[in-house]
């Protein structure tokens, strides 16, 4: 990997905000704003976003089920065979074979799932019970390294682990699962096969192994996933019994019925997702034709796709923009693929070029007068191939950072600014395909959100705790009150979440980007509120587009009770996340502390001090029990990277939120992405 120092002197000078013409730190916030995106699924190229030269066409990639940004552990959704006239579908029975093509694009440890043998279309990750009447079902959890067979709410593994080696870079794999029914549930087993999928060379499957020890077979099947920002796809689905095909889907149309409440089922759709409210998973689970834009250049003629929206660079920030797209490169032996920046009447101020000698790809950034300055870096391998790779091109002061499939491969310097009109291109006979495009820009917003603080001590004329709705947003089962604080033995003003649901939020009314958030948690239910009820996960949701945005679709930090052993106990507390990743690429980890149990045996552990610092896309989480020294807050408990924090923030929970919040403050900080 090639690394070059950023202009540290300039960055440091810019951090000294008093020395340049910037808004006051307290009233400025760095903002990462979405400019536009395109998945190219429309029937024609969107002329409001792009102009295209000869050699640019839309390319049909086939239909697929897309599972995007998945679910956390307790709410994994699924799709099941739902083609029967009564809306319940025709369940499978006996021996059968499931075949499909899958792609994976997610962080290590995240997974996709294949469900089998469910007695109802409405069962899911939480409710499958193997061979228990009325709740049958098993789930195969597929990661990059293993395939495992689970049942009993996906908490108990049956049989051996199959070791695999799947790439999560959109490499397509064909999967085949032969389900074999025995004399009893325990005798049922499945043989699993896989191979890299090549539409031009249908090679033989390789047997990965056998999953035995019990697997539900008779019933409904389905798919699911768990990821924060990843995408899994399923295509070319076929189920056979002997020579007969009993189910098949190319996923080229909208074939998912999202069921909630008393809404009638749509029996014309072959799959269903059970929801707790309207459109809960509609953006996460989609089907339809997938397309790319293909650029095929001639020997003397470029193929160019030019954006009609220019990149607006803010000179006050170091990281100015980033482009993300899935790209496939071909025929770079004679020609080149490129991204042109700063176009004026088609002439660029800088060009990122991709060339290849058959064994390795070279990245070159040409810039300056007559594009006379070139900064190049040769990779150790080739980027040319049949599969898409995810590219991130991040503009920085003085250059461009290039990341491929999550690995930063080069940092190249430029003598020219990279802002302005831009285009994807190919020349000299080279070919390229582009899909899943998005553009973000970074900058400062002046007169931004004010720093806020509240300890819930102010009371109105009736003696009740008062909260200004001009500054604060409260909804659902969140209510200001006075509580007995066991850690201080005093009455304290607080915001109480009592039997709260996913629509319960508390937070400031303004948007924040870089901030320091502090609050205390207390009165966390440990079987004390609502009979034997335990508390749900306690969350902080960030970067929300609206104040009511679903935490499932926002960056969310969760203190989560894990593995409930009985009605009054939680074995472990985990720190988990949605739509954001820890620095090591994981989505969560078990913690030595347990807010949901520790206070039962130690009254000094009933109050928790929480600090969250968001700065430049990096989010650090600190906490300690109030009885512990402040030095415990010196090191973060978890660090998340690449998080879009710009937006509304709030305390939130799942069903059964039973806890209280006090001493809540949010401080707006400036000069965030200069470090």
């Amino acid at each position: 990997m090639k690394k070059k120092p950023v202009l540290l002197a300039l960055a440091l000078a810019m951090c000294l905000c008093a020395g340049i013409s910037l808004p006051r730190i307290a009233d400025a916030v760095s903002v990462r704003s979405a400019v536009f995106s395109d998945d190219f699924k429309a029937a024609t190229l969107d002329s409001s976003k792009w102009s295209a030269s000869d050699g640019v066409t839309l390319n049909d990639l086939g239909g697929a089920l897309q599972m995007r940004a998945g679910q956390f552990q307790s709410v994994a959704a699924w799709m099941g065979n739902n083609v029967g006239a009564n809306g319940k579908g025709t369940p499978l029975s006996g021996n059968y074979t499931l075949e499909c093509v899958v792609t994976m694009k997610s962080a290590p440890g995240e997974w996709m799932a294949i469900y089998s043998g469910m007695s109802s279309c409405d069962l899911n990750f939480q409710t499958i019970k193997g061979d228990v009447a009325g709740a049958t079902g098993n789930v195969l959890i597929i990661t990059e390294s293993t395939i495992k067979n689970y049942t009993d709410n996906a908490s108990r593994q049956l049989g051996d682990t199959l070791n695999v080696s799947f790439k999560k870079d959109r490499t397509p794999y064909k999967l085949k699962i032969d389900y074999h029914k025995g004399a009893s549930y325990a005798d049922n087993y499945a043989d699993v096969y896989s191979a890299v999928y090549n539409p031009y060379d249908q090679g033989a499957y390789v047997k990965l192994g056998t999953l035995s020890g019990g697997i539900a077979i008779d019933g409904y099947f389905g798919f699911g996933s768990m990821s924060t920002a990843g995408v899994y796809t399923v295509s070319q689905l076929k189920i056979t019994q002997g020579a007969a095909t009993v189910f098949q889907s190319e996923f080229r149309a909208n074939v998912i019925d999202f069921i909630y409440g008393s809404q009638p089922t749509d029996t014309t759709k072959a799959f269903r997702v059970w929801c707790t409210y309207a459109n809960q998973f509609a953006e996460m689970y989609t089907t339809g034709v997938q397309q790319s834009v293909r650029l095929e250049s001639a020997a003397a003629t470029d193929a160019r796709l030019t954006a009609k929206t220019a990149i607006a660079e803010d000179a006050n920030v170091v990281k100015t923009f980033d482009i993300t797209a899935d790209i496939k490169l071909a025929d770079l032996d004679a020609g080149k693929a490129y991204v042109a920046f700063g176009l004026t009447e088609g002439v660029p101020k800088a060009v990122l070029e991709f060339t290849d000698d058959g064994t390795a790809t070279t990245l070159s950034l040409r810039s300056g007068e007559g594009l006379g300055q070139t900064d190049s870096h040769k990779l150790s391998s080739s980027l040319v191939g049949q599969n898409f790779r995810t590219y991130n091109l991040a503009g920085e002061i003085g250059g461009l950072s290039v990341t491929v499939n999550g690995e930063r491969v080069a940092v190249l310097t430029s003598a020219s600014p990279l802002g302005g009109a831009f285009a994807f291109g190919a020349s000299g006979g080279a070919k390229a395909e582009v899909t899943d495009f998005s553009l973000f820009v970074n900058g400062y917003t002046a007169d931004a959100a004010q720093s806020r603080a509240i300890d819930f001590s102010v009371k109105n004329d009736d003696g009740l705790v008062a909260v200004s709705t001009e500054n604060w947003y409260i909804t659902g089962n969140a209510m200001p009150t006075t509580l007995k604080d066991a850690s201080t033995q005093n009455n304290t003003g607080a915001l109480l979440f009592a039997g709260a649901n996913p629509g319960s939020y508390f937070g400031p009314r303004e948007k924040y980007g870089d901030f320091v958030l502090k609050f205390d948690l207390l009165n966390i239910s440990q079987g004390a509120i609502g009979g034997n009820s335990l508390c749900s996960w306690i969350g902080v949701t960030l970067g929300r587009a609206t104040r009511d945005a679903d935490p499932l679709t926002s960056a969310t930090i969760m203190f989560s009770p894990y593995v409930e052993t009985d009605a009054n106990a939680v074995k472990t507390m985990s720190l988990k996340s949605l739509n954001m990743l820890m620095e090591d690429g994981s989505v969560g980890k078990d913690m030595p502390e347990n807010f949901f149990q520790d206070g039962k045996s130690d009254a000094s552990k009933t109050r928790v001090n929480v600090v969250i610092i968001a700065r430049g896309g990096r989010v650090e989480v600190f906490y300690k029990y109030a009885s512990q020294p402040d030095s415990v807050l010196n090191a973060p408990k978890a660090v998340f990277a690449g998080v879009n924090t710009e937006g509304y923030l709030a305390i939130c929970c799942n069903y059964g939120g039973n806890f209280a919040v006090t001493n809540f403050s949010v401080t707006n900080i400036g000069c965030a992405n200069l470090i």
Side-chain angles (χ1 to χ4, degrees), residues 370-433:
L371 300 181
Q373 175 176 307
T374 302
D375 187 10
S376 299
H377 177 60
K378 187 173 184 177
L379 306 181
S380 59
S381 60
S382 176
L383 297 177
V384 175
Q386 295 181 358
N387 301 323
F388 285 91
R389 291 176 169 86
T390 300
Y391 288 73
N392 180 268
L393 310 179
E396 301 179 356
I397 288 182
L400 188 71
S401 170
V402 182
T403 299
V404 181
N405 285 342
E407 179 185 357
R408 198 179 196 189
V409 298
V411 180
L412 306 171
T413 58
S414 174
S416 306
L418 301 178
F422 66 97
F424 295 95
S427 64
K431 299 182 180 68
E433 289 185 47

Side-chain angles (χ1 to χ4, degrees), residues 532-614:
N532 288 329
S533 297
L534 285 161
C535 184
S536 77
W537 53 259
I538 301 170
V540 178
T541 180
L542 316 170
R544 310 167 80 204
T546 66
R547 297 187 186 95
D548 292 320
D550 191 334
L552 296 181
T553 62
S554 306
T556 301
I557 300 163
M558 300 180 295
F559 299 105
S560 181
Y562 185 63
V563 187
E564 299 183 14
T565 55
D566 57 50
N568 291 302
V570 175
K571 192 175 192 179
T572 308
M573 182 186 81
S574 59
L575 183 58
K576 304 168 83 171
S577 63
L578 287 171
N579 304 305
M580 56 195 292
L581 294 175
M582 292 184 176
E583 283 191 316
D584 62 2
S586 65
V587 297
K589 60 181 179 179
D590 292 343
M591 308 305 294
E593 302 82 11
N594 187 344
F595 303 165
F596 303 89
Q597 287 293 295
D598 291 349
K600 271 189 162 184
S601 56
D602 187 346
S604 70
K605 295 182 177 179
T606 58
R607 186 178 182 124
V608 185
N609 307 138
V610 181
V611 179
I612 297 175
I613 300 176

Side-chain angles (χ1 to χ4, degrees), residues 119-197:
S119 56
S120 169
C121 287
D122 302 336
L123 292 174
N124 58 37
F125 189 88
Q126 275 189 299
T127 54
I128 55 171
K129 291 285 188 179
D131 60 346
V132 176
T136 60
N138 282 64
V139 60
L140 304 187
I141 301 296
I142 303 171
T143 71
E144 69 278 5
S145 58
T146 62
I147 300 178
K148 300 179 181 180
N149 174 28
Y150 286 95
T151 190
D152 290 350
N153 310 116
S155 65
R156 180 164 65 95
Q157 182 182 352
L158 300 176
D160 296 329
T161 296
L162 302 187
N163 295 313
V164 298
S165 182
F166 292 143
K167 295 180 180 179
K168 290 190 169 180
D169 60 358
R170 288 191 59 157
T171 296
Y173 296 95
K174 56 181 183 179
L175 286 178
K176 181 172 79 169
I177 305 173
D178 285 335
Y179 290 95
H180 299 275
K181 188 175 181 181
S184 67
Y185 172 81
D187 298 322
N188 296 345
Y189 66 95
D191 292 323
V192 183
Y193 304 81
S194 180
V196 174
Y197 173 72

Side-chain angles (χ1 to χ4, degrees), residues 62 117 150 158 215 225 235 309 380 424-425 549 633 646:
Y150 286 95
L158 300 176
I215 186 169
S225 72
S235 60
T309 301
S380 59
F424 295 95
L633 297 176
E646 167 61 21

Side-chain angles (χ1 to χ4, degrees), residues 61 73 123 148 195 228 234 258 270 369 375 457 469 567 606 627 674:
L61 300 175
Q73 184 172 343
L123 292 174
K148 300 179 181 180
T228 53
V234 178
F258 294 93
E369 186 175 352
D375 187 10
S457 62
T469 56
T606 58
S627 58
L674 300 180

